[in-house]
């Protein structure tokens, strides 16, 4: 299930290859070279307000939002920055992971690795799958 982003970039969900059925494997490639491969599961816990039974007071509920197995993917490979973006339920929920390349010296010489630099989760509280009767 690979989706073309441009003539040379692609993303792929390799969930079936993960030894853990709870996790997905996501791959971002450029020119057939993998720049990012991430294996993880995620669940987001978001507090939200609903009307109390008296319709005067607000009470706080909690939405438990799992990363959906059929999430749509986008990604980009950069020289020093790369991204993986996942969205599900008609883009009501989006998880964007940004990575930075870091160089360091080892006994074998200079090496580079990627580190997670930013996580952004956005959601639409009017989407009713996880936000039951949400007011705000």
């Amino acid at each position: 299930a690979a989706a073309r982003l441009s003539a040379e970039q692609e993303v792929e969900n390799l969930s079936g290859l993960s030894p853990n059925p709870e996790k997905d494997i996501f791959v971002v490639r450029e020119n057939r070279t993998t720049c990012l491969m991430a294996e993880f599961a995620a669940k987001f816990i978001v507090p939200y307000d609903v009307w109390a039974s008296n319709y005067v007071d607000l009470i706080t509920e909690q939405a438990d939002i799992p990363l959906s197995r059929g999430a749509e993917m986008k990604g980009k490979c950069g020289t020093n920055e790369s991204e993986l973006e996942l969205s599900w339920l008609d883009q009501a929920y989006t998880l964007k992971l940004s990575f930075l390349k870091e160089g360091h010296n080892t006994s074998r010489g200079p090496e580079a690795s990627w580190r997670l630099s930013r996580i952004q989760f956005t959601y639409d509280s009017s989407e009713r799958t996880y936000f039951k009767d949400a007011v705000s």
Side-chain angles (χ1 to χ4, degrees):
R4 285 270 172 212
L5 293 178
S6 67
E8 299 173 1
Q9 286 191 338
E10 65 181 46
V11 292
E12 190 171 10
N13 186 332
L14 299 175
S15 303
L17 298 180
S18 177
N20 184 334
E22 311 250 322
K23 293 182 181 179
D24 289 336
I25 299 175
F26 305 100
V27 178
V28 181
R29 293 187 185 98
E30 185 173 87
N31 298 324
R32 299 184 197 183
T33 300
T34 300
C35 71
L36 290 176
M37 180 181 288
E39 179 181 13
F40 64 94
K43 179 172 79 169
F44 304 91
I45 299 170
V46 180
Y48 67 99
D49 292 333
V50 298
W51 289 115
S53 59
N54 64 9
Y55 291 97
V56 174
D57 299 317
L58 291 175
I59 57 174
T60 301
E61 295 286 337
Q62 178 176 292
D64 293 345
I65 305 166
L67 173 59
S68 178
R69 270 213 163 304
E72 296 176 35
M73 297 178 54
K74 291 188 216 175
K76 76 175 189 184
C77 297
T79 305
N80 293 313
E81 295 181 47
S82 294
E83 292 179 355
L84 172 63
E85 184 175 309
L86 308 167
S87 60
W88 59 102
L89 288 177
D90 294 324
Q91 298 186 342
Y93 305 97
T94 302
L95 174 63
K96 186 175 181 179
L97 305 172
S98 300
F99 298 86
L100 288 175
K101 187 182 259 185
E102 290 186 333
H104 52 276
N105 293 316
T106 68
S107 58
R108 295 171 295 200
E111 287 187 359
S113 60
W114 293 93
R115 74 168 173 84
L116 187 59
S117 63
R118 191 175 90 194
I119 299 173
Q120 179 181 11
F121 176 61
T122 56
Y123 57 89
D124 179 356
S125 62
S126 67
E127 198 285 318
R128 297 296 181 209
T129 302
Y130 301 106
F131 293 101
K132 309 283 189 224
D133 303 318
V135 175
S136 63

